Amino acid sequence: MENIAQPNGGRPWHARYPELGTEPVPIDGYVSPDYFERERTQIFRRVWLNIGRVEQIPAPGDYFVKDLPVCNTSVIVVRDRDGEVRAFHNMCMHRGNQLVWDPKGNCNRFTCKFHAWTYGLDGSLRGVPEEDGYSNLDKAARGMRPVAVGIWEGFVFINTDPQPRQTLEEFLGEELRDAVSGYDFDTASASCFSWETELNANWKTCKDAFHEAFHVAILHHRSIGEVFAPRSNLACVLDFKLFERGHGRISLPANPEWKPKPVEVLARRFGAVVLQKNVDSSTELPAGINPTRHPNWAFDGYAVFPNHIMYLSQGSYLSHTFWPLAHDRTRWEIRSYQPRATNLAQRFAQEYGRVTFRDTLLEDGSTLERTQAMLGSGASADMVLHDQELLIRQSHMAVESYLRD
Ligand code: FES
Ligand SMILES: [Fe+2]
């Protein structure tokens, strides 16, 4: 654990990125309705947003619907007959009814429940009952309105800007794409378990809680306790790396001193338990995963700006997505991805891991509304950040830079 005791050569992580500064961060951005409106128009309606995975729509005709209040729309993502993934505003081009009401399904065409206009999977308007009765109906121009869509590592991204300023590749940037390249998302995504909830908290209040790990031994002492860092050395991190455009990574060790309970020993024998499995050296990891090649590596937390976080461990991963609803309200989506269990022992380990994960989430959730309530009290104008909160500072600076543009 020598290089954990002296990470970054004993220098503060902030010294790696002096351009971020070390000033206190203003609280206004967490509580102001005006600030939130600017984030909505200048960030969420302009950038690429991760709204799902390709496994949700494996076959032609498969679709899912994603309501995106922050972008003032609902989006249909569909795999067309040729296997191409397309996205459209979920709007009928007659009088605007929401076209698809089911959250997911499979169909040959979309039919509006109001007056039965029908659309092909390519979005083209195919059928209009009583067609002769419409004035000025140009069917070719009345197809569903497309939304820019792109796929990265099996993740489906959309951009509701009619003319995105960047391609998805440009937005993610070469550094992030290279770092994750080679991680076997296909195998790890075979089985997905999810939770969703809405909280009375700003989306950044929620996100910040997953941008640092030095609260784990304190807030999570009842659930996962000192699995990553001992209480005597909370700042126990292998590496921080900030990528361009607000994306970043934290790499975390497992704590070799941690004593698992007997049931945890059993579960760990057959699979990862909340990211606690140490490196299995028989499987080569891509260069960007466990970047320091530490034998006690636990997982890497990847922040994908603005609202998505992935915790990649060996063979399984978790994700959090934070959807702003208002300046003080957020929809929190949590997903746990694991390979398909091939025997009962693995199934037990996975289930145990998910239940433990759920318990830690409840602990995380317990701080978020309380934090938001007090940020809104006006008692303080700013907050100070620890060296371990580098990703929070980076995210704050990225938000500010979008709002300046
Ligand atoms: S609004 Fe869809 S057919 Fe009339
Ligand atoms: Fe936590």
Side-chain angles (χ1 to χ4, degrees), residues 99-141:
L99 187 55
V100 177
W101 297 2
D102 296 326
K104 62 181 180 177
N106 179 281
C107 64
N108 292 323
R109 51 184 55 201
F110 299 111
T111 302
C112 180
K113 292 185 187 346
F114 211 165
H115 314 93
W117 282 29
T118 60
Y119 302 83
L121 301 182
D122 61 356
S124 59
L125 177 59
R126 298 287 171 84
V128 176
E130 304 289 343
E131 185 175 337
D132 294 344
Y134 289 95
S135 310
N136 294 313
L137 172 59
D138 176 0
K139 277 170 77 181

Side-chain angles (χ1 to χ4, degrees), residues 184-196:
D184 189 357
F185 283 101
D186 291 347
T187 305
S189 304
S191 130
C192 175
F193 196 88
S194 64
W195 297 271
E196 298 185 5

